[in-house]
């Protein structure tokens, strides 16, 4: 009786193992199918199930999961998983890309200070990486978003000078021009403020001289009155000229802002996994692997049926 129970238990355990293997293989197969077709929402859901199985909880599958999450627009989950990935697989070949991706996701989510720290670490450790100029660009963008224009401008200039073939060159040039315009506008506003204050003081003096002229009617007061009046006229003309320059500058800024915004948005929409030829190759290889796994599993199932 005991022997029979032991045999039944062993058989049951064996069946459970086979079922678990079938379930995990099936989940991985379906995930690979969705991934290879670019069905990112489905791929994300299926890959979440796949990594729950120990045999598929590896660097490749988790990298695929993060890729699918980014393409599916689930950046919060992708960010969380990049942190887990870097802790679990510190020696993986995907580590540099995960570091960059983490910094880019932090920027996308408005965590500018954290993005600067992560991307600065990436740049320090990966100076020869293809993603280096893109990392510089998002550090600059984070500084720009924090109104640190001088620091941002230096990095934009570095991209323009040192990486003329970078995909970020157009966006960097727009930002440099925008910062220059902003600087001119600030100077004009400062001059307008100073001239306005001088005008108010001159106007006050003119009104004082006018009161004296009305009460005393002396030649010296009359001369002072005429001088003050002339100075007021000159200051009024300066103010009009400054206001005209500021209006023209703002109009110019508005006219080019739409074009600039389009270029910046286009640069920012470039996915972390498709910004360089090597990144595109990574994605291509992963899709090829997914199709190969799909074929192998289906072939094994056909053999089992025979």
């Amino acid at each position: 009786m005991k022997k029979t129970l032991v045999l039944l238990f062993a058989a049951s355990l064996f069946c459970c193992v086979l079922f678990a293997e079938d379930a995990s293989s099936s989940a991985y197969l379906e995930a690979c199918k969705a991934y290879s077709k670019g069905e990112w929402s489905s791929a994300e859901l299926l890959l979440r199930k796949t990594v729950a199985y120990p045999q598929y909880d590896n660097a490749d599958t988790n990298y695929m999961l993060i890729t699918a999450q980014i393409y599916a627009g689930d950046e919060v989950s992708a960010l969380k998983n990049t942190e887990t990935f870097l802790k679990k697989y510190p020696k993986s070949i995907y580590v540099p890309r995960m570091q960059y991706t983490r910094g880019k996701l932090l920027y996308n989510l408005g965590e500018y200070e954290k993005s600067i720290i992560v991307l600065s670490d990436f740049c320090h450790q990966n100076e020869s990486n293809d993603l280096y100029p893109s990392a510089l660009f998002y550090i600059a963008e984070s500084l720009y978003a924090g109104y640190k224009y001088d620091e941002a401008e230096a990095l934009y200039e570095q991209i323009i000078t040192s990486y003329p073939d970078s995909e970020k060159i157009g966006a960097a040039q727009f930002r440099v021009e925008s910062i220059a315009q902003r600087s001119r506008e600030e100077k004009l506003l400062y001059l307008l403020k100073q001239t306005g204050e001088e005008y108010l003081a001159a106007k006050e003096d003119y009104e004082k001289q006018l009161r004296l002229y009305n009460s005393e009617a002396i030649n010296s007061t009359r001369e002072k009155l005429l001088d003050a009046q002339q100075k007021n006229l000159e200051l009024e003309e300066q103010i009009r000229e400054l206001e005209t320059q500021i209006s023209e500058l703002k109009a110019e800024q508005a006219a080019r802002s739409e074009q600039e915004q389009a270029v910046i948005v286009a640069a920012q929409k470039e996915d972390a996994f498709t910004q360089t030829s090597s990144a595109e190759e990574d994605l291509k290889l992963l899709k090829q692997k997914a199709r190969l796994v799909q074929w192998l599993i289906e072939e094994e199932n056909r053999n089992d049926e025979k």
Side-chain angles (χ1 to χ4, degrees), residues 63 67 70-71 75 96-108 115 119 122-123 129-139 141 159 163 165-169 171 263-284:
Y63 182 83
T67 308
I70 291 175
Y71 278 120
E75 294 188 335
R97 196 169 302 284
M98 280 295 103
Q99 291 173 328
Y100 170 82
T101 300
R102 180 166 176 75
K104 171 66 162 37
L105 288 169
L106 285 166
Y107 168 79
N108 290 349
S115 177
L119 290 173
F122 167 84
C123 289
N129 194 286
D130 290 341
L131 289 169
Y132 187 87
S134 292
L136 286 181
F137 176 79
Y138 285 110
I139 293 173
E141 286 288 273
I159 294 168
Y163 304 97
D165 296 328
S166 169
E167 296 173 349
K168 306 299 183 187
I169 195 78
V263 173
I264 298 299
V265 169
Q268 292 175 354
K269 278 187 176 180
E270 292 169 359
D271 192 273
F273 293 89
T274 58
Q275 288 180 11
T276 65
S277 57
S278 63
E280 290 173 356
E281 188 63 25
D282 283 348
L283 184 59
K284 182 179 177 182

Side-chain angles (χ1 to χ4, degrees), residues 17-152:
V17 171
L18 285 178
F19 177 77
E21 288 180 353
D22 287 343
S24 63
S25 297
S26 177
Y28 190 42
L29 172 61
E30 292 303 316
C32 288
K33 283 182 180 179
Y35 190 93
S36 63
K37 293 178 181 178
E39 297 171 352
W40 303 117
S41 296
S42 297
E44 177 187 0
L45 178 63
L46 293 165
L47 285 165
R48 282 179 182 274
K49 294 180 179 179
T50 301
V51 296
Y53 297 101
Q55 62 269 42
Y56 293 117
D57 187 14
N58 52 48
D60 283 346
T61 310
N62 279 282
Y63 182 83
M64 290 170 67
L65 172 59
I66 293 169
T67 308
Q69 288 174 327
I70 291 175
Y71 278 120
D74 189 2
E75 294 188 335
V76 173
S77 297
L79 177 62
K80 182 179 179 181
N81 285 335
T82 57
E83 182 179 7
T84 303
F85 186 100
L86 291 169
K87 289 178 180 178
K88 287 179 68 175
Y89 312 109
K91 295 183 179 180
S92 168
I93 60 172
Y94 302 123
V95 164
R97 196 169 302 284
M98 280 295 103
Q99 291 173 328
Y100 170 82
T101 300
R102 180 166 176 75
K104 171 66 162 37
L105 288 169
L106 285 166
Y107 168 79
N108 290 349
L109 295 169
E111 298 283 353
Y112 301 124
E113 293 296 331
K114 292 180 181 178
S115 177
I116 291 171
I117 293 171
V118 172
L119 290 173
S120 295
D121 287 343
F122 167 84
C123 289
H124 179 70
Q125 298 169 21
N126 302 278
E127 292 185 11
S128 60
N129 194 286
D130 290 341
L131 289 169
Y132 187 87
S134 292
L136 286 181
F137 176 79
Y138 285 110
I139 293 173
E141 286 288 273
S142 295
L143 291 168
Y144 186 91
Y147 307 102
K148 298 176 182 178
Y149 299 122
D150 290 341
E151 296 175 56

Side-chain angles (χ1 to χ4, degrees), residues 97-233:
R97 196 169 302 284
M98 280 295 103
Q99 291 173 328
Y100 170 82
T101 300
R102 180 166 176 75
K104 171 66 162 37
L105 288 169
L106 285 166
Y107 168 79
N108 290 349
L109 295 169
E111 298 283 353
Y112 301 124
E113 293 296 331
K114 292 180 181 178
S115 177
I116 291 171
I117 293 171
V118 172
L119 290 173
S120 295
D121 287 343
F122 167 84
C123 289
H124 179 70
Q125 298 169 21
N126 302 278
E127 292 185 11
S128 60
N129 194 286
D130 290 341
L131 289 169
Y132 187 87
S134 292
L136 286 181
F137 176 79
Y138 285 110
I139 293 173
E141 286 288 273
S142 295
L143 291 168
Y144 186 91
Y147 307 102
K148 298 176 182 178
Y149 299 122
D150 290 341
E151 296 175 56
E153 184 178 19
L155 290 179
Y156 291 130
E157 292 284 6
Q158 183 180 347
I159 294 168
I160 294 168
T161 304
S162 303
Y163 304 97
D165 296 328
S166 169
E167 296 173 349
K168 306 299 183 187
I169 195 78
Q173 288 171 335
F174 268 108
R175 284 301 198 207
V176 169
E177 293 170 9
S178 177
I179 291 171
Q181 276 202 326
R182 191 180 297 274
S183 178
R184 290 198 298 273
E185 185 177 335
E186 288 177 353
K187 288 178 181 178
L188 286 173
L189 288 171
Y190 174 76
L191 287 174
L192 180 61
K193 179 176 180 293
Q194 293 295 101
T195 305
E197 291 174 354
E198 189 177 349
Y199 170 74
L200 289 175
K203 185 178 180 182
E204 183 179 350
D205 182 62
Y206 169 75
E207 291 173 349
K208 179 180 178 182
Q209 297 298 331
L210 183 61
R211 286 194 298 271
L212 287 172
Y213 177 77
N214 289 334
S215 61
E216 299 178 9
I218 56 176
N219 289 334
S220 60
T221 304
R222 183 175 181 276
E223 290 175 0
K224 290 180 180 180
L225 177 61
L226 292 174
D227 289 342
Q229 187 178 26
Q230 181 61 34
K231 187 174 183 180
N232 279 348
L233 292 173

